Structure formats: C-alpha cells, structure tokens
Amino acid sequence: MERLDVIKPKELKPNRSANVLFHFMSELRFLCRAIEAKALFPRYCKENITYLNLRVNDHQLTEVAYPEKCFCDIPVHNVYEHTKNYGTYGIGLPKTWGIEQGIQPIQYVNINSQLIKDFQTAFQRGTGVAADNRDAQFLSNYLVSYMLYIKPLMGENRNRVTNEMENIYFTDECEWRFVPDLSTKEMDSILFDNDICKKDENQKSIIDKYNEALERLRDTWLIFEYSDIRYITVKTYEERDKLIAFIHDMNNGTDEIEKLRLISKIIVLDDAEEDF
C-alpha cells in the first residue's frame, strides 16, 4: 500500500472548504492594531461547558475561560453570514500559514455519542487521581486540553455584534482554534467557574488582567507578514477609507509599495453580500 505523506499540506488545495482562514473582529480599531503589529493576540474567552455534564468534588462545571484565537474555514462567498455574529473587520490568512502556526480544527461533538460518554468517564476518573501520580496527572491534563478543542453541534452563543444570545449550529462556523502554551508563564492556562469571576484588590477582573498581559507577551502572539494576508474586510466604504488612511499613516517601517499592496487586499462586505 502506498504511504500517504501528511507532512506536505502545501501540495494540496481543498475542494469544498476554504484555502484561507478568516479571523473577524467587532471593531475597526482591533483590526488596525493587528495590522500595525503584524500579529493577532489571543484573549481569554468564556465557553459554556454544561453540555459535557462534568463534575469535580460534587461541583458541576458550567463555564471555562482560556486563551484562544478563533478562525473560520469558510469560502469568501459564504463568509458574510458569519460576520453577522462575529463582526465585519477581518483578516484572511492562508490555511498553510495556520497549519504551520499550529492552529487546530475543532471537533464538533454529538453530546449523545459514545465518544462524549467515554470522555465524561475518563474526566471524572482523571480528576480524582492523587497529585503524586504523575502519569495519571499527565492524562488528566490531556483531557482538559482536549476539552479546549471540542464544541457541541448546536447551542446558545452570544452574538459579538448585538450582544444578544442566539441558538445556532456551531458546525456552520467551521472553526479552527489556536491556544497558546502558557506552561512557562505566571498565569493560569484555564479558569473554571468561580475563578472566572475573581477580581484583584483594585476590583479588576482576572480575565482582563490576563488579557492585558497576553498582549505584552510576544511569544504568545500569532505573527504574520503582510505578504501572508490574502484579504482584509470591512463593512462600508467609509470604513475602507478610514483603514486606508490608517495604513498610509503607519509608522512601523513599512514602505509605500507594501502599504499599497495591503490596501489592494481590502474587501468591502456591503459589496461582497451582493457580488459573491
């Protein structure tokens, strides 16, 4: 049998999914910041995990927060609907770039499947092991890591544009996810339930403090070059003109030719809705 070489993704192009990973933001200033820094910054995001029905010491886990940066694997002609939930300010980067950066497609799970039943059993047993059992602790940590890359087929989600809760099919998002390694950092890699609500002595939330720290930790960023960018999206012509002015005025060492190349990649989504 011929051996399949899985090490060379650049030789293949997907037939049904996109060859670009899009990340969308809710405000133009976030897009400008990313373009100027040539980076996307992970942020702690809250995820509802009640669907997993996990318990630790008779306490049911309902919510987790961990640093991530999410992308969608959706062709350009279908991306407009996605922006209604996550914002119209986007950067499209090659899928090969995402693979090299370690960005992982998430697994959508049927909560009634045997896979989830086995996960629940393994998680319960893993959280009950003694702290000095290093092998068991390693497996327990793996289960927590795995949890960061799964999502139910459907569920309730907060719309980042309207801030309202909606019921959606998560599978339509075709999500890829980047979670930085914080094992050497002085911050928690994952927060559960009550820890999410904690505040410091100045009444600043732990999540806000961690997000500020992540933006200063360059080795947690997703770095790109301007040559990597395939598309930049905004909603209106007015926003396009503001972005053009911002790129023109950038003082980060980018020459005028490169700035013109960047500007040429801007798509106005009000047009895209009609044309694609």
Side-chain angles (χ1 to χ4, degrees):
M1 180 181 293
E2 183 179 355
R3 182 177 178 272
L4 176 64
D5 189 344
V6 297
I7 309 301
K8 299 179 180 179
K10 294 182 181 180
E11 296 180 1
L12 298 175
K13 290 186 179 180
N15 293 321
R16 294 179 178 85
S17 60
N19 206 26
V20 170
L21 297 178
F22 276 103
H23 174 70
F24 289 101
M25 300 159 243
S26 59
E27 296 185 34
L28 180 59
R29 63 187 177 97
F30 299 150
L31 176 59
C32 291
R33 172 76 176 104
I35 290 174
E36 185 174 41
K38 299 184 184 179
L40 295 169
F41 316 107
R43 294 180 61 82
Y44 278 77
C45 299
K46 293 186 283 188
E47 295 271 349
N48 187 320
I49 58 167
T50 53
Y51 72 96
L52 290 173
N53 194 27
L54 303 177
R55 306 184 72 85
V56 175
N57 297 327
D58 294 327
H59 170 73
Q60 181 165 1
L61 300 177
T62 60
E63 197 170 40
V64 296
Y66 50 88
E68 64 176 348
K69 188 55 64 176
C70 298
F71 299 81
C72 68
D73 180 10
I74 300 174
V76 176
H77 62 274
N78 289 332
V79 85
Y80 190 82
E81 284 298 317
H82 186 80
T83 67
K84 293 178 181 178
N85 288 321
Y86 293 95
T88 54
Y89 312 103
I91 292 180
L93 294 152
K95 188 174 285 183
T96 50
W97 169 87
I99 293 170
E100 290 167 359
Q101 295 288 332
I103 304 173
Q104 169 67 31
I106 70 165
Q107 182 177 10
Y108 294 100
V109 296
N110 177 355
I111 62 174
N112 300 310
S113 68
Q114 189 61 47
L115 173 69
I116 291 304
K117 292 174 184 176
D118 289 344
F119 174 79
Q120 290 165 341
T121 300
F123 188 91
Q124 298 308 137
R125 293 185 180 179
T127 54
V129 300
D132 59 354
N133 188 333
R134 296 184 64 182
D135 288 341
Q137 284 293 328
F138 178 84
L139 293 174
S140 179
N141 291 339
Y142 166 76
L143 291 171
V144 172
S145 295
Y146 174 70
M147 183 174 62
L148 307 186
Y149 293 98
I150 62 175
K151 208 165 188 177
L153 301 175
M154 63 192 80
E156 198 173 47
N157 185 61
R158 185 172 298 279
N159 186 305
R160 295 185 184 177
V161 178
T162 66
N163 205 37
E164 296 179 355
M165 298 301 294
E166 301 173 344
N167 288 309
I168 66 172
Y169 271 97
F170 290 120
T171 51
D172 288 343
E173 298 180 339
C174 303
E175 183 179 344
W176 289 49
R177 193 175 282 178
F178 172 74
V179 179
D181 180 10
L182 299 183
S183 59
T184 61
K185 312 299 180 188
E186 294 183 0
M187 60 178 68
D188 295 313
S189 298
I190 184 167
L191 301 173
F192 289 95
D193 290 348
N194 293 336
D195 289 336
I196 294 174
C197 305
K198 282 184 179 177
K199 297 182 179 181
D200 65 13
E201 63 277 5
N202 298 315
Q203 295 303 299
K204 191 170 205 175
S205 74
I206 298 298
I207 287 181
D208 287 342
K209 289 185 67 174
Y210 281 4
N211 283 335
E212 290 174 3
L214 282 176
E215 194 159 334
R216 295 192 297 268
L217 293 172
R218 185 178 177 84
D219 58 346
T220 69
W221 299 357
L222 279 170
I223 306 293
F224 56 81
E225 298 298 330
Y226 291 144
S227 57
D228 291 324
I229 297 177
R230 295 277 296 278
Y231 306 101
I232 300 171
T233 67
V234 295
K235 181 171 173 55
T236 66
Y237 284 105
E238 181 182 2
E239 292 169 341
R240 180 201 61 181
D241 292 345
K242 288 180 180 178
L243 183 56
I244 289 173
F246 175 83
I247 292 173
H248 177 74
D249 293 338
M250 281 193 315
N251 188 24
N252 64 350
T254 305
D255 63 38
E256 293 305 311
I257 295 298
E258 193 67 40
K259 288 180 179 180
L260 290 174
R261 291 193 184 110
L262 265 180
I263 290 169
S264 72
K265 299 175 182 183
I266 299 174
I267 294 176
V268 178
L269 286 177
D270 277 351
D271 277 349
E273 182 184 21
E274 299 175 359
D275 296 340
F276 288 104

